[in-house]
Amino acid sequence: MTAPAQLDSVDLAILRALQNDARITNRDLAAAAGIAPSTCLDRVARLRSCGVITGSATKIDPAALGRPLQAMLFVRVQPHRRELVDPFVQHALAQPETRAVFHLTGPDDFLVHVAATSAADLQRLVLDEFTARQEVALVHTTLIFQQWDGGPLLPPRVSRP
Amino acid sequence: MTAPAQLDSVDLAILRALQNDARITNRDLAAAAGIAPSTCLDRVARLRSCGVITGSATKIDPAALGRPLQAMLFVRVQPHRRELVDPFVQHALAQPETRAVFHLTGPDDFLVHVAATSAADLQRLVLDEFTARQEVALVHTTLIFQQWDGGPLLPPRVSRP
DNA sequence: GCTGAAAAATGATAGAA
DNA sequence: TTCTATCATTTTTCAGC
């Protein structure tokens, strides 16, 4: 499943194109990678079975959906034990506002990325769904002015056979 | 382009399925939404032209790619002026380790999500690519133990015609 | 919003470089 | 391994209703 993944420049081209557009046709993907369509199918299947490709997702604009206010919630859990960590994560993921949850090192244990419908919705989320919980010692809320997606994630080194 | 987007329960089903798997066939998507395939095509085209759907991406496992160490960099820029903000963001996005950049309210101006190949790579990134820059006053580095993707992002209210 | 026929893409196969 | 070529099947498209 999770091999060290020896990737060459063809895999790199495939990964670059697929991260940019998950719905690219196999024909176009093969052309972008400079290989035959049948070979391209094999390559993608291999990347999938190696665990490099884990899935695909359609990207959505939260503002266009009616969720114009995004924020980061820094959450401190007390005590910081596994019995409390797992339920907290599940509860955070169960909120419709939650986009992602990160378990971090440092004074703040969790970072929760949320997309709220309004300041009132954000306030309710923080007070009723997070601060109100027994294990939550502290929530620090920060608004997101703007965000940018990084380019395609690529392997640090490419084997050149 | 960016209309208030009046979405009904069919759009909601489409958005849910598409966020879960961008490569779902239109046939299966139509079945999931309970409409005819041709109607489904129209709906998706409308969601795209309304700006709700902005694109698609294949999901990659950074660890399988050789980037097992993810971190959040909290960056303070001094002075916090637009002439310095834009170049900083461009430089952050130009790094192969960068997954996302957030411009935040609060004492830390930016949050940069990165995927490094090793602790040495992370150290180099922080010291040589961020701290070394004139406008960067402070970088605080936090490791990511684990992360979870939220469920599909859905509109807060659904019009019921 | 639906139906159905035409067009295109896919996935699989076999054989050769 | 990878490529070329082929083909049945599935999927998308685009009329018209």
Side-chain angles (χ1 to χ4, degrees):
Chain A
M1 182 72 80
T2 306
Q6 195 68 348
L7 304 173
D8 63 15
S9 60
V10 171
D11 294 306
L12 189 140
I14 289 174
L15 289 172
R16 196 193 306 270
L18 274 181
Q19 286 180 78
N20 186 54
D21 175 13
R23 301 211 54 151
I24 188 173
T25 64
N26 187 61
R27 271 195 206 301
D28 292 345
L29 185 60
I35 57 176
S38 58
T39 310
C40 191
L41 273 182
D42 285 346
R43 290 286 193 138
V44 173
R46 188 175 311 167
L47 287 170
R48 190 175 279 275
S49 72
C50 282
V52 173
I53 292 176
T54 60
S56 65
T58 298
K59 289 189 281 189
I60 300 292
D61 177 7
L65 261 179
R67 298 185 175 278
L69 191 63
Q70 293 191 62
M72 293 290 187
L73 310 184
F74 297 88
V75 181
R76 214 166 288 194
V77 170
Q78 192 67 262
H80 190 196
R81 296 169 55 205
R82 183 173 288 276
E83 302 92 272
L84 296 178
V85 161
D86 292 345
F88 170 81
V89 171
Q90 290 312 309
H91 183 255
L93 290 174
Q95 305 307 313
E97 289 87 357
T98 300
R99 300 198 66 183
V101 176
F102 299 89
H103 189 190
L104 303 177
T105 64
D108 291 313
D109 301 311
F110 291 98
L111 177 59
V112 185
H113 179 189
V114 301
T117 63
S118 64
D121 179 42
L122 181 59
Q123 182 185 39
R124 179 201 60 77
L125 184 70
V126 171
L127 293 180
D128 297 346
E129 301 297 344
F130 287 96
T131 307
R133 287 177 68 88
Q134 278 287 337
E135 76 272 25
V136 172
L138 172 66
V139 178
H140 212 124
T141 304
T142 300
L143 297 189
I144 298 172
F145 284 135
Q146 192 175 359
Q147 60 189 289
W148 299 263
D149 278 348
L153 206 61
L154 298 175
R157 52 192 153 47
V158 170
S159 70
R160 302 189 51 76
Chain B
M1 180 73 80
T2 304
Q6 195 67 349
L7 304 172
D8 63 14
S9 60
V10 171
D11 296 306
L12 189 141
I14 289 174
L15 289 173
R16 197 193 305 268
L18 274 181
Q19 287 180 77
N20 187 53
D21 174 14
R23 300 212 53 150
I24 187 174
T25 64
N26 185 62
R27 204 184 167 77
D28 291 346
L29 185 60
I35 56 177
S38 58
T39 310
C40 192
L41 273 182
D42 284 347
R43 290 288 191 137
V44 173
R46 189 174 312 166
L47 288 170
R48 188 175 280 276
S49 73
C50 282
V52 173
I53 292 176
T54 60
S56 65
T58 298
K59 288 189 283 189
I60 299 293
D61 178 8
L65 260 181
R67 298 186 175 277
L69 191 63
Q70 292 191 63
M72 293 292 187
L73 311 184
F74 297 89
V75 180
R76 214 166 289 193
V77 170
Q78 192 66 267
H80 189 197
R81 295 169 56 205
R82 182 173 288 276
E83 301 92 273
L84 297 178
V85 161
D86 292 345
F88 171 81
V89 171
Q90 291 312 309
H91 183 255
L93 289 174
Q95 305 307 313
E97 289 87 356
T98 300
R99 301 198 66 183
V101 175
F102 299 88
H103 189 190
L104 303 177
T105 66
D108 292 314
D109 302 309
F110 291 98
L111 177 59
V112 185
H113 179 190
V114 300
T117 63
S118 63
D121 179 42
L122 182 59
Q123 182 186 38
R124 178 199 61 76
L125 184 71
V126 171
L127 293 181
D128 297 346
E129 302 296 344
F130 287 95
T131 307
R133 287 177 69 88
Q134 278 286 337
E135 77 272 25
V136 172
L138 172 67
V139 178
H140 211 125
T141 305
T142 301
L143 297 188
I144 298 172
F145 284 137
Q146 193 176 359
Q147 58 188 291
W148 298 263
D149 278 349
L153 207 60
L154 298 176
R157 52 194 153 48
V158 170
S159 70
R160 303 188 51 75

